[in-house]
């Protein structure tokens, strides 16, 4: 019956795989879910098949966090100071970017 539900979801365009909905999570949401998964896996109280699914979801969450961190890093600016040490503006974090 679960396979039929997956087939129906796939036909309707809904994703039910490990990465389902990950792309809509904020960094904080993805990190919290990833931490919960790690905790469950470390306890070892999850059946093998469920552990594999959780691991796959964790990988998707890790990639989401990495993507969001890289995007945030690209937006970070450093404060520039004039000769007297007063803030004078901003500059990109990476002078090459």
């Amino acid at each position: 019956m679960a396979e039929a539900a997956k087939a129906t979801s796939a036909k309707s365009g809904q994703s039910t795989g490990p990465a389902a909905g990950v792309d809509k999570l904020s960094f904080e949401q993805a990190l919290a879910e990833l931490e919960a998964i790690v905790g469950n896996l470390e306890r070892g109280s999850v059946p093998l098949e469920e552990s594999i699914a959780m691991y796959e979801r964790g990988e998707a969450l890790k990639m989401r966090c990495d993507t969001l961190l890289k995007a945030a890093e690209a937006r970070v600016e450093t404060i520039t100071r004039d000769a007297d040490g007063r803030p004078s503006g901003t500059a990109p974090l990476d002078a090459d970017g």
Side-chain angles (χ1 to χ4, degrees):
M1 191 178 313
E3 294 302 319
K6 286 181 184 176
T8 301
S9 293
K11 287 179 186 175
S12 66
Q14 297 174 347
S15 178
T16 58
V22 169
D23 61 335
K24 295 183 180 13
L25 296 176
S26 69
F27 175 80
E28 292 76 11
Q29 291 168 323
L31 183 60
E33 187 177 341
L34 180 57
E35 288 173 341
I37 287 172
V38 169
N40 285 330
L41 291 174
E42 284 179 343
R43 280 190 288 285
S45 59
V46 182
L48 179 60
E49 286 302 315
E50 191 176 339
S51 292
I52 293 169
M54 289 174 75
Y55 182 85
E56 290 172 342
R57 174 90 178 162
E59 281 293 316
L61 290 164
K62 178 189 164 292
M63 287 183 0
R64 174 68 176 164
C65 288
D66 187 52
T67 298
L68 292 172
L69 280 173
K70 285 180 180 174
E73 187 177 79
R75 295 186 345 239
V76 170
E77 295 179 323
T78 58
I79 297 173
T80 58
R81 300 185 183 276
D82 63 17
D84 296 324
R86 293 186 301 256
S88 63
T90 61
L93 177 64
D94 182 3
D96 295 332

